[in-house]
Amino acid sequence: MEELTAKQRRVYVFIRDTIAARQTPPTRAEIAEALGFASANAAQAHLRTLENKGFIELNARRSRGIRLVTPDDASDEPFTQSSAGALSLAVVGRVAAGAPILALEHVERRCRVSADLFSARPDYLLRVTGDSMIGAGILDGDLLAVRTAPEVRPGDIAVFRWDDEVTVKRFARDGQTARLIAENPRYEDIVIDTTRETLSLEGLAVGVIRNL
């Protein structure tokens, strides 16, 4: 990939950090305001440059239609060859019921990605199946960067194991009741009485990338 200028890198880092913090990309207006551009059109010009250089993918039909793109090729790091280095992460596909998420049979391959893509270091990449989280910018086939963690807070998007299945949802809690919220109105929330049912946290979402 081509190297980015300082200004282009600022735009890319802002997009990356916004996705890591909110699990959704910023709008053009938010980019312009945060980085001091004169208008959303100025931000759009930088986005088109980043798209032409292969760092992002744009969807003009959505106000938050910005996708991070990362290659499998270890020689291509997001900014320059002197950037912070690469992580070798397992890409986990469909998880069999009851089996550990990182069991060998679930790992499709390993993927080299730059550590600079994430504000928190992920432990693995989970291939997303289905469209229940499209409102959060997580699409079918995306790779969700997941960091193992001991607890989840309300509002976090995370990977859970419930009823022997692994699912990606936004978390909410009301006393002993946990609610796994889909980001697609076609899907109902999953409501779990934690006094009678087991809900396990497999990890927190720390970013989303489009696999090449």
Side-chain angles (χ1 to χ4, degrees):
M1 288 190 186
E2 301 177 58
E3 295 182 7
L4 299 182
T5 66
K7 186 170 291 187
Q8 291 161 5
R9 177 168 177 162
R10 286 177 60 217
V11 174
Y12 184 90
V13 168
F14 178 72
I15 295 168
R16 179 202 69 192
D17 291 350
T18 300
I19 292 173
R22 302 189 326 204
Q23 283 78 57
T24 188
T27 64
R28 277 71 167 167
E30 288 170 342
I31 295 171
E33 181 179 359
L35 301 182
F37 298 148
S39 67
N41 287 338
Q44 178 69 11
H46 287 292
L47 293 176
R48 292 201 180 282
T49 300
L50 288 174
E51 183 178 43
N52 290 337
K53 290 188 174 184
F55 287 84
I56 64 173
E57 179 179 285
L58 298 177
N59 183 344
R61 293 176 297 177
R62 300 175 60 129
S63 66
R64 299 183 185 274
I66 305 170
R67 310 287 305 160
L68 296 184
V69 176
T70 187
D72 281 349
D73 186 352
S75 67
D76 285 327
E77 294 186 349
F79 306 128
T80 71
Q81 291 300 317
S82 62
S83 58
L87 302 173
S88 178
L89 300 175
V91 176
V92 176
R94 184 172 294 276
V95 178
I101 202 164
L102 286 173
L104 185 60
E105 61 267 27
H106 303 154
V107 177
E108 298 178 350
R109 56 190 172 86
R110 298 195 71 85
C111 181
R112 294 288 297 275
V113 296
S114 171
D116 289 334
L117 280 171
F118 314 104
S119 59
R121 181 188 178 103
D123 293 300
Y124 60 92
L125 301 172
L126 178 67
R127 187 176 299 283
V128 175
T129 301
D131 60 357
S132 68
M133 297 300 288
I134 59 174
I138 303 173
L139 308 183
D140 184 44
D142 283 352
L143 298 180
L144 185 72
V146 183
R147 179 180 179 87
T148 56
E151 61 182 7
V152 58
R153 297 176 299 179
D156 285 344
I157 291 178
V159 180
F160 300 94
R161 188 185 295 270
W162 171 75
D163 197 24
D164 236 356
E165 296 290 337
V166 170
T167 185
V168 179
K169 295 291 185 290
R170 193 179 297 276
F171 180 73
R173 177 181 288 280
D174 181 11
Q176 297 300 314
T177 300
R179 185 180 297 273
L180 305 186
I181 302 171
E183 295 284 349
N184 184 334
R186 293 175 50 226
Y187 294 83
E188 295 184 358
D189 298 344
I190 300 171
V191 180
I192 301 165
D193 181 350
T194 58
T195 64
R196 297 187 302 172
E197 301 174 89
T198 300
L199 177 66
S200 301
L201 174 66
E202 294 284 356
L204 302 177
V206 296
V208 182
I209 57 178
R210 170 69 54 83
N211 184 44
L212 295 181

